[in-house]
Each structure stands twice: as C-alpha cells, then as structure tokens.
Amino acid sequence: MTSLIGARAMAITCLVALPPRPKRPTINTSRAGYQVGDVIYCDQNFLISVSQERDEYKARLSQMSEGGSLVFVLGLWTLVEIARARNPVMMAQLAAVADALQPGWFPERRWLQHYEVAEQFFRYVNVPYSRPNVIRTLAEVAAELVHRPAPVGQRYSVVDVASAIRSNMAPIQAGFDENRRARELLAEEWKREWVKTRGDLLLRTYVEKLLPTKTPAGVQIDKGTKRSFLDQITIDLFPSIAVEHAMFEDSLRRGAKQRIQSFLDRQHAIVALPYVQSLVSDDAALIQAAKRVAANLSFPTARIIKKQEFDSMLRRV
C-alpha cells in the first residue's frame, strides 16, 4: 500500500470558477445539544485536544460512539495529518485517539464526487442505483485509494495506515508541490476573468470525467445519453464539487497562499460540510473559511463549532 498511497492521494485537481449558485438558507444550527445518531466530523485539532483530556473523557466518547449515540467520522486526509505528527510517539497517540472513537471514514473527495455524479445521472435516466454509503470503513477507503479490493475480514488500525503514509511521505509532498504550481496558474487565469466566463464549460468537462460508463446492470452508456445529462446540470446537484469550488474561490478572493495546511483544511471541508451534522475544529482559519463558504451554498451544511461548544452540547446528550 505504501508505494501507491502518495500518487493516488495527491491526484487532486483544482476546480475553478463555475456558474453562480442561487443563495438559499443553510441548515438550522440553532438546536441545542445533539440528537442520537448525529454524525460528527473531527479534524486533527480535535484529536490533539482529546489526547490531552483525562481518561474519563476519552472513555465517555468511546462509549457514546460504541452505543451509537454519536457517529464520529474522519477522512483520509486526517490520516495524512496524523502521519505528519512531529514524531512517531505523537503520531501513535493521535492514532490511538482516532481508533478509540471507532470512526467511520469518508473516501478521498474524488471518490465522493464519483458517487454524487453517478447518483444524479442514474436518477436523470430513471435507472435504479444504490449509491455506496459515503461513510466507509478504514479498510474500504484505503482499498479504494490504491485501487485494490478490500481484504475480506481484515481489520486495519489507524496507526497501521498512518505509519504506512509516514514511511512514504515524499510522494505526498511532491504531489502537493505540483498542486500548488497548478493552483498558481489557475489563479492567474481567474484574475483575468477567463475561467469565470466559461464556467458552464468547465463544470461540464469536470463532471464528464466522473460519469459512469455502464449502468449497474452492465449496459454500456451511449454518448448521446451522457450529452443530454450534461446539457442540464448545475453545480448544486453535486454538493462536494460545489464546496470545492467555493473553497477555491474564497481562497483566491482573500489572496491566501497555498500551504499544505490550508490544502488539508480544504479536503476536510469538501467532504464534511455536505454530509455531517457538525464539523468540530479549533482551527480558526478552517472555521472562518468554512463559515464563509457555507453561508453561500444552496443546500444544508454542517454547523461548524469549536471543541468547547462540542463539550457544552455533549453534556446535554
């Protein structure tokens, strides 16, 4: 797995200026406390904070997760952050916290976008389709990342996968550097308005690459049907694509530099905002960017809170 993680994990393309989105109200975040079964996305900052808590606190989170009171979810890029810890001891501590939460896992954002496009396409052509659960096991998302079948019955721990990534970090850094250079070029085009005037074409081209080639029954999909589908799409049909575009534009408007931490923050927001009840983080930059973006999306999004707010609501569960 280590030989392929870097190349696949960094297969990231910047999605640039797409058609404007109609503004509608976002999800109501005013309700007090959590409800049974709420899905909570946690970033690296949350894991670090939990690692410094007393054993009783950690045990309660584990019990709530095991009992289904709360569903914790992490993402593949959380694994990269864990692997990038200052030293192996800290990596092991964070991995232990993550394992104790018994989390579900979001796939890499490109896989999530494949699911979204397939779901909308098969709905359009009125073909029965069961979208894969967006919350997966660690073994499943690791297998998807390296294009290998998930071993039946084999369990992976967070420390196993994080250790594999840590031992092969060079391809991830190289991929990030390539992504940063591509983003700089796209930013120049964005300033010149070229990409803004071709938003429909850019969305169409991007989605076309994600379209399925066959129906669930194995029937080949013809070009005319694909073309008909692409003629009527809007970005709001694909939540994670919409978030990715909005995060990209937000960073350009603010003149933000592409750093590896801001890159990782965007990966969290892309997969989490459309699919969880709460995103918990003490990262000020991530919180502010996610709130700015969520305010202009046309679909319900996660409430974005700090760990202190999470703890306060936790007491009312």
Side-chain angles (χ1 to χ4, degrees):
M1 181 166 66
T2 58
S3 63
L4 294 175
I5 279 180
R8 283 294 307 155
M10 290 304 302
I12 303 297
T13 56
C14 290
L15 186 62
V16 294
L18 297 172
R21 299 171 298 277
K23 184 174 179 179
R24 301 180 210 157
T26 53
I27 193 169
N28 178 13
T29 60
S30 61
R31 64 188 172 101
Y34 288 105
Q35 297 179 359
V36 173
D38 271 6
V39 181
I40 315 297
Y41 187 90
C42 316
D43 76 345
Q44 168 95 331
N45 287 279
F46 179 85
L47 298 180
I48 292 172
S49 296
V50 172
S51 73
Q52 298 166 350
E53 292 280 0
R54 293 182 299 177
D55 289 344
E56 293 84 357
Y57 179 93
K58 298 174 187 175
R60 185 169 185 230
L61 291 186
S62 288
Q63 290 167 1
M64 296 188 74
S65 176
E66 186 172 358
S69 298
L70 296 177
V71 178
F72 292 100
V73 184
L74 304 175
L76 272 179
W77 289 98
T78 309
L79 292 168
V80 174
E81 289 195 287
I82 292 173
R84 295 178 67 243
R86 289 194 302 272
N87 55 62
V89 173
M90 184 176 182
M91 182 193 76
Q93 290 174 340
L94 296 177
V97 170
D99 270 328
L101 293 177
Q102 304 173 64
W105 293 86
F106 280 128
E108 201 277 320
R109 71 61 161 132
R110 183 82 169 183
W111 283 98
L112 197 57
Q113 291 169 0
H114 271 290
Y115 301 160
E116 291 174 352
V117 169
E119 181 177 43
Q120 292 297 332
F121 175 79
F122 288 125
R123 181 177 298 166
Y124 175 75
V125 296
N126 199 28
V127 170
Y129 171 73
S130 179
R131 185 181 72 177
N133 194 336
V134 296
I135 299 177
R136 320 279 275 166
T137 68
L138 181 57
E140 285 172 335
V141 294
E144 286 177 340
L145 188 67
V146 297
H147 280 200
R148 294 181 183 175
V152 177
Q154 183 172 342
R155 294 178 61 87
Y156 288 98
S157 70
V158 175
V159 72
D160 289 335
V161 182
S163 296
I165 295 173
R166 188 180 182 90
S167 67
N168 198 36
M169 194 64 74
I172 292 178
Q173 182 62 49
F176 166 75
D177 291 339
E178 181 179 347
N179 180 272
R180 176 178 49 79
R181 290 190 292 271
R183 183 181 181 277
E184 289 171 355
L185 293 173
L186 289 169
E188 290 302 314
E189 295 296 335
W190 188 81
K191 291 176 184 177
R192 288 195 288 266
E193 304 287 325
W194 183 88
V195 292
K196 292 184 181 180
T197 61
R198 291 164 173 78
D200 290 330
L201 176 61
L202 289 166
L203 175 62
R204 184 188 184 100
T205 301
Y206 189 79
V207 170
E208 186 174 15
K209 294 177 181 177
L210 299 173
L211 281 171
T213 58
K214 296 180 180 180
T215 69
V219 178
Q220 197 76 25
I221 300 168
D222 64 275
K223 292 182 179 179
T225 302
K226 291 182 180 180
R227 187 163 52 248
S228 176
F229 171 73
L230 292 169
D231 286 343
Q232 54 83 53
I233 60 172
T234 63
I235 195 169
D236 298 297
L237 293 173
F238 318 109
S240 67
I241 296 177
V243 174
E244 181 171 1
H245 161 58
M247 293 291 289
F248 176 74
E249 281 205 327
D250 179 76
S251 68
L252 291 183
R253 290 193 194 97
R254 301 184 67 81
K257 298 293 184 182
Q258 172 80 320
R259 298 183 175 87
I260 193 163
Q261 189 56 55
S262 60
F263 171 81
L264 292 170
D265 287 346
R266 285 205 307 277
Q267 305 312 307
H268 294 312
I270 289 166
V271 298
L273 279 180
Y275 290 107
V276 301
Q277 274 74 43
S278 297
L279 190 164
V280 186
S281 173
D282 284 333
D283 185 321
L286 172 58
I287 291 172
Q288 292 167 9
K291 285 185 175 180
R292 287 193 303 269
V293 163
N296 291 292
L297 293 171
S298 66
F299 45 82
T301 56
R303 56 184 162 190
I304 303 148
I305 61 173
K306 296 182 178 180
K307 182 178 177 294
Q308 183 178 3
E309 297 172 82
F310 169 82
D311 290 342
S312 176
M313 289 187 285
L314 194 64
R315 289 192 286 271
R316 299 196 289 270
V317 174

